[in-house]
Amino acid sequence: MTPTRILPDLQCSLLCEDVRQEVTGSFILVGVLNFIRVPQLPVVALKLAVFNRWTAGVGQFIESTRLVAPDQTTVLRKGEVRFALQDPNHHATNVTLFGQVEFKTAGVYYVEVLVDEVMKLRYPVPVIHTPPQQPQQGSPGQPPKPQEPPPAQA
């Protein structure tokens, strides 16, 4: 008996700055993000990409990828894509792009990945506000303050 439907396993999910595909079909992940450090808030990310790869399933599915705010209820962005797996040994790779994402506050945001409304993975993406440091006089690595020229002698 051949199964007609097996819910797939999420092999990986990575938040990146960009995903590109070579002519050979191989993917290039650019700027895999563990956290987002910014000098000021609010800030807008021009593009974020979520790279998901599925395997060990059979059937047709709907993947939902969400970016959730630190309050854990506000969905900032959501993307859905349909995909199919004909055999448990096959895999499907989906890339969801989120454009113009505004991060208003520092805190832990979340990426959630679901298939057919079943949560498969939820991972944190901390947004860290690190204001630029003001250079201090005489601090290491700073050139010394120029001295006044000596008064002219007559």
Side-chain angles (χ1 to χ4, degrees):
M1 181 164 121
T2 304
T4 57
R5 184 163 160 81
I6 301 171
L7 208 59
D9 293 333
L10 182 60
Q11 191 174 28
C12 73
S13 179
L14 295 166
L15 181 66
C16 312
E17 293 175 15
D18 197 10
V19 177
R20 300 178 186 151
Q21 191 169 17
E22 296 180 334
V23 293
T24 61
S26 297
F27 289 96
I28 301 169
L29 306 182
V30 179
V32 177
L33 299 169
N34 296 320
F35 56 85
I36 300 171
R37 186 182 312 271
V38 295
Q40 67 183 33
L41 290 164
V43 67
V44 174
L46 297 178
K47 177 169 61 169
L48 294 173
V50 181
F51 177 91
N52 293 328
R53 183 169 157 143
W54 300 92
T55 190
V58 174
Q60 300 212 1
F61 310 99
I62 298 175
E63 171 194 287
S64 297
T65 305
R66 302 188 293 222
L67 180 62
V68 181
D71 66 9
Q72 300 189 36
T73 57
T74 304
V75 176
L76 299 176
R77 292 287 187 281
K78 180 180 179 180
E80 287 191 350
V81 63
R82 293 180 181 275
F83 70 99
L85 292 168
Q86 303 303 320
D87 183 275
N89 296 313
H90 293 172
H91 66 270
T93 301
N94 300 326
V95 178
T96 301
L97 297 177
F98 297 139
Q100 302 290 317
V101 179
E102 183 178 22
F103 296 101
K104 294 182 180 181
T105 63
V108 180
Y109 292 73
Y110 294 90
V111 172
E112 297 179 343
V113 182
L114 301 87
V115 63
D116 292 348
E117 299 187 23
V118 175
M119 177 84 68
K120 285 293 191 169
L121 185 63
R122 181 176 195 259
Y123 55 95
V125 181
V127 172
I128 303 164
H129 178 220
T130 307
Q133 293 184 348
Q134 299 298 325
Q136 297 176 354
Q137 284 299 89
S139 56
Q142 295 291 324
K145 182 180 177 183
Q147 295 182 351
E148 300 272 333
Q153 296 183 1

